[in-house]
């Protein structure tokens, strides 16, 4: 009898489970996931699409490729779960990119993505007609060609016939929402990466639009990231496998969604999102733009919350670069053993003492953003002798990346944020050795969540709130985010790294002038 009651209880629990679908439209492809309302991954699917380069400094994507990938991954997901239990869809994506649509909702031009640099002349034009200080005060971001406004001006000046036909622009995730529910809107996080949005008033800036000659009526309505845009249409249901009528939640940009998926929503917390590069995501209780214009201040997906976003270039990319150019032996061995070459890197580097025998690495493979902010900086190995082997180089890369964290944390604290808790997500967080090195270098505890692909989870948390599964963000995080591992700094090792870091900084000061010489060669 007891066994029967337990079975009935299990069936009842499973039957009442809510499934939340998250769609992450990145630069390299679309990842779609399904989580239950307790944050357990049920299914995932991924499909790549190309970046188009019609000219050397151009980077575009066809929005139809995004939609094709979304449909394909959704069909795969809905074939793996009970589609009747799907209660909502949440969205996240790359930012700055937009799709110009005509009055019939047809695409007028490919999306000019964040990698594109054709709008440098428009960026320079903006600098001549409006002050850097005013742009920062209104938008929280500096004048930069990466943002949407210069790209929109490029279309206006170079493709005037297309510009005249624009009825609405939609950003990446918002274009997908439109395809799912035939409603047009964006959210605060995407709007705050346009250089057209007032981050204090939380509305499009009439002044900036007037100065730049951008019609305000082509900018979409702005919603909270947790709000419903519309419902999945019958047509979209047939194409994707999603149940007709379920709510499509607005969602947010990839970085603030990543912070949410890591449970980082309050000032004093930091998420370090690792990958090709690294971004420190730092929630703020009020908008406080960096007066130097070095650090972006954008909207978080959480209401009445903003965040600093601090980019460190070529962190994970440094280890991948080394693997592709010098790690042939590890790659060959990993294929034979059926493991990742990075597992072998970790094993080799773990045998090397802190400091890598006096070998330093500076990870500036495409210039330095935080903490040095030097666009002409170069990657450097310095200090190697005949006694150094590949393991020392591998560990030096790991330490060189970790050393960037020290000064970046100082930058955050100089802006008035008292850091109490650090979470780390993304690819680098898979490495126990690298996590421990980072904790030892910065002298702080690093928390690693169960779900490292946190942006997609963040989209699902937004879906859970927008659909009423959870009443607020803290409840959603409580149920859906779990810390899997913690790395505590080892006092003796931290003291050693503190001395090594002082030398590391002195060496940088002695070589930084060489970057200008190299840039002129």
């Amino acid at each position: 009898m007891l066994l029967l009651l337990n079975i009935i209880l299990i069936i009842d629990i499973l039957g009442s489970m809510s499934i939340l679908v998250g769609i992450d439209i990145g630069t390299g492809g679309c990842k779609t996931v399904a989580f239950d309302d307790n944050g357990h991954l049920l299914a995932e699917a991924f499909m790549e699409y190309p970046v188009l380069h019609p000219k050397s400094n151009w980077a575009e994507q066809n929005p139809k490729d995004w939609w094709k990938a979304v449909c394909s991954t959704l069909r795969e997901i809905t074939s793996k779960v009970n589609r009747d239990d799907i209660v909502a869809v949440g969205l996240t994506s790359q930012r700055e990119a937009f799709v110009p649509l005509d009055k019939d909702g047809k695409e007028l031009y490919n999306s000019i993505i964040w990698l594109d640099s054709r709008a440098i002349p428009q960026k320079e034009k903006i600098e001549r007609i409006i002050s850097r200080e005013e742009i920062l005060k209104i938008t929280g971001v500096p004048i930069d060609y990466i943002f949407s406004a210069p790209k929109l001006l490029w279309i206006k000046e170079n493709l005037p016939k297309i510009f005249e036909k624009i009825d609405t622009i939609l950003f990446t995730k918002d274009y997908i929402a439109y395809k799912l529910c035939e409603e047009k809107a964006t959210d605060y996080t995407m709007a705050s990466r346009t250089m057209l949005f007032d981050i204090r008033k939380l509305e499009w800036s009439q002044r900036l639009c007037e100065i730049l000659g951008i019609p305000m009526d082509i900018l979409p309505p702005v919603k909270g990231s947790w709000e419903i845009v519309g419902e999945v249409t019958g047509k979209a249901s047939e194409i994707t496998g999603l149940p007709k009528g379920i709510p499509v939640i607005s969602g947010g940009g990839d970085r603030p969604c990543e912070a949410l998926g890591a449970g980082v929503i309050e000032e004093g917390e930091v998420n370090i999102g690792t990958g090709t590069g690294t971004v420190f995501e730092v929630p703020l209780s009020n908008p406080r733009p960096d007066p130097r214009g070095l650090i972006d201040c954008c909207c978080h997906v959480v209401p009445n919350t903003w965040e600093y976003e601090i980019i460190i270039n070529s962190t994970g990319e440094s280890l991948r670069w080394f693997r592709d150019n010098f790690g042939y032996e590890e790659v060959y061995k990993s294929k034979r053993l059926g493991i990742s070459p990075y597992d072998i890197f970790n094993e080799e580097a773990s045998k090397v003492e802190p400091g890598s025998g006096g070998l330093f690495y500076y990870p500036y493979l495409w210039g330095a953003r935080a903490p040095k902010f030097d666009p002409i900086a170069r990657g450097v190995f310095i200090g190697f002798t005949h006694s150094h082997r590949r393991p020392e180089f591998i560990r030096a890369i790991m330490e060189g990346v970790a050393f960037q964290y020290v000064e970046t944390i100082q930058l955050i604290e100089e802006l008035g944020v008292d850091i109490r808790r650090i979470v780390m997500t993304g690819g680098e967080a898979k490495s126990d050795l690298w996590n421990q090195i980072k904790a030892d270098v910065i002298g702080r505890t690093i928390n690693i969540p169960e779900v490292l692909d946190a942006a997609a989870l963040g989209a699902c948390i937004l879906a859970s709130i927008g659909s009423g599964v959870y009443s607020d963000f803290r409840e959603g995080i409580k149920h859906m985010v779990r810390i899997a591992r913690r790395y505590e700094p080892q006092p003796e090792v931290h003291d050693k790294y503190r001395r090594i870091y002082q030398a590391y900084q002195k060496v940088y000061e002695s070589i930084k002038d060489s970057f200008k010489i190299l840039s002129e060669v």
Side-chain angles (χ1 to χ4, degrees):
M1 183 65 179
L2 183 59
L3 178 61
L4 179 60
L5 288 173
N6 285 338
I7 292 172
I8 292 171
L9 179 61
I10 292 169
I11 292 172
D12 183 60
I13 291 171
L14 291 174
S16 64
M17 177 179 67
S18 297
I19 295 178
L20 303 150
V21 172
I23 304 171
D24 183 357
I25 310 100
T27 308
C30 171
K31 183 168 187 179
T32 300
V33 298
F35 283 89
D36 69 17
D37 49 17
N38 283 308
H40 298 121
L41 181 65
L42 303 176
E44 59 184 338
F46 179 79
M47 183 176 175
E48 292 184 353
Y49 36 70
V51 176
L52 308 174
H53 299 282
K55 293 186 179 181
S56 60
N57 65 333
W58 291 21
E60 302 176 355
Q61 287 185 320
N62 187 335
K64 292 179 181 177
D65 288 338
W66 298 338
W67 178 235
K68 180 180 178 181
V70 168
C71 291
S72 176
T73 53
L74 279 173
R75 286 194 299 270
E76 185 175 343
I77 289 293
T78 54
S79 72
K80 294 177 180 177
V81 302
N82 183 354
R83 65 191 298 272
D84 293 334
D85 290 334
I86 299 174
V87 298
V89 179
L91 299 159
T92 185
S93 73
Q94 57 175 300
R95 299 171 295 174
E96 299 90 32
F98 61 86
V99 184
L101 302 175
D102 67 14
K103 59 183 177 59
D104 298 318
K106 301 296 184 183
E107 304 85 356
L108 292 168
Y109 195 70
N110 278 343
S111 182
I112 304 171
I113 67 171
W114 64 278
L115 287 168
D116 191 287
S117 58
R118 77 183 74 179
I120 290 176
Q122 286 69 37
K123 171 246 187 189
E124 293 171 347
K125 178 180 178 179
I126 294 170
E127 289 175 328
R128 293 192 295 270
I129 61 177
I130 189 169
S131 71
R132 167 183 172 274
E133 290 75 19
E134 185 171 8
I135 285 281
L136 273 174
K137 182 180 179 181
I138 295 172
T139 71
V141 297
I143 301 172
D144 196 322
Y145 66 83
I146 191 176
F147 298 119
S148 311
K151 293 174 167 59
L152 196 53
L153 284 185
W154 183 90
I155 293 178
K156 181 180 181 181
E157 293 173 6
N158 292 274
L159 302 170
K161 291 183 179 179
I162 287 178
F163 188 83
E164 290 171 3
K165 293 179 182 178
I166 297 176
D167 179 73
T168 310
I169 64 168
L170 289 179
F171 308 100
T172 305
K173 71 172 182 64
D174 306 313
Y175 170 79
I176 298 303
Y178 173 64
K179 300 293 282 186
L180 289 171
C181 64
E182 298 182 0
E183 296 288 345
K184 298 174 183 177
T186 190
D187 80 298
Y188 301 128
T189 69
M190 301 299 277
S192 69
R193 299 293 292 184
T194 62
M195 225 174 76
L196 293 169
F197 192 69
D198 190 319
I199 61 167
R200 290 179 173 82
K201 296 180 180 178
L202 296 179
E203 61 186 32
W204 297 113
S205 170
Q206 184 173 349
R207 171 166 169 74
L208 292 182
C209 287
E210 287 176 353
I211 290 173
L212 300 180
I214 294 173
M216 287 192 71
D217 59 5
I218 71 171
L219 302 175
V222 187
K223 292 178 172 286
S225 302
W226 59 93
E227 291 188 288
I228 296 172
V229 177
E231 297 178 349
V232 173
T233 64
K235 180 181 177 181
S237 176
E238 290 179 10
I239 298 171
T240 64
L242 290 171
K244 178 183 176 181
I246 65 168
V248 177
I249 309 305
S250 182
D254 50 5
R255 291 306 179 181
C257 273
E258 182 177 60
L260 174 61
V264 172
I265 64 171
E266 295 183 355
E267 185 160 331
E269 301 176 325
V270 175
N271 181 62
I272 304 174
T274 68
T276 301
T278 290
V279 180
F280 277 59
E281 299 143 5
V282 187
L284 300 171
S285 57
N286 59 296
R288 304 199 296 272
D290 174 15
R292 301 163 300 177
L294 297 175
I295 295 169
D296 297 343
C297 180
C298 308
C299 293
H300 203 308
V301 291
V302 179
N304 301 312
T305 307
W306 294 259
E307 70 175 18
Y308 287 134
E309 297 182 12
I310 309 172
I311 300 171
I312 304 174
N313 278 350
S314 52
T315 53
E317 175 62 22
S318 290
L319 203 56
R320 183 168 65 179
W321 170 86
F322 187 85
R323 179 202 68 185
D324 293 345
N325 290 280
F326 303 104
Y328 304 120
E329 183 176 320
E330 288 82 1
V331 170
Y332 174 78
K333 185 177 179 182
S334 69
K335 289 180 179 177
R336 182 166 52 83
L337 296 175
I339 60 175
S340 168
Y342 295 114
D343 292 334
I344 299 174
F345 281 174
N346 289 331
E347 181 183 355
E348 293 176 345
S350 67
K351 299 172 183 176
V352 178
E353 290 294 313
S356 303
L359 174 60
F360 289 165
Y361 173 67
Y362 298 85
Y364 309 138
L365 297 185
W366 54 75
R369 297 197 68 164
K372 299 302 183 186
F373 301 101
D374 184 354
I376 64 171
R378 301 287 183 95
V380 179
F381 282 107
I382 189 169
F384 59 92
T385 67
H386 73 284
S387 65
H388 288 92
R389 299 291 183 266
R390 273 201 306 272
E392 282 82 7
F393 280 83
I394 294 166
R395 185 169 186 118
I397 290 172
M398 293 179 171
E399 292 175 338
V401 169
F403 288 147
Q404 309 309 305
Y405 287 16
V406 179
E407 196 171 351
T408 301
I409 288 171
Q410 292 171 358
L411 288 172
I412 295 168
E413 292 178 331
E414 287 170 4
L415 288 167
V417 179
D418 178 20
I419 299 174
R420 302 186 303 274
R421 180 172 177 264
I422 296 175
V423 182
M424 189 159 61
T425 55
E428 292 175 29
K430 296 175 183 177
S431 170
D432 288 326
L433 175 64
W434 211 348
N435 295 339
Q436 189 61 56
I437 287 172
K438 291 171 181 176
D440 288 335
V441 165
I442 65 176
R444 298 171 186 255
T445 301
I446 293 177
N447 299 277
I448 309 296
E450 189 176 286
V451 178
L452 296 180
D453 187 6
L457 176 59
C460 288
I461 294 172
L462 289 170
S464 76
I465 296 164
S467 61
V469 172
Y470 295 117
S471 60
D472 58 43
F473 284 85
R474 286 179 179 79
E475 186 183 7
I477 289 170
K478 177 182 176 182
H479 285 89
M480 299 185 71
V481 179
R482 285 175 290 279
I483 297 300
R485 293 166 287 154
R486 286 185 173 85
Y487 295 85
E488 303 286 348
Q490 303 168 91
E492 290 183 7
V493 181
H494 174 60
D495 286 343
K496 184 173 183 178
Y497 270 130
R498 190 165 52 184
R499 294 191 298 272
I500 293 169
Y501 177 72
Q502 291 172 355
Y504 183 86
Q505 289 288 74
K506 289 178 181 178
V507 170
Y508 174 81
E509 290 300 316
S510 71
I511 64 174
K512 67 179 183 180
D513 290 340
S514 66
F515 298 142
K516 187 175 189 303
I517 298 170
L518 290 169
S519 71
E520 295 171 350
V521 172

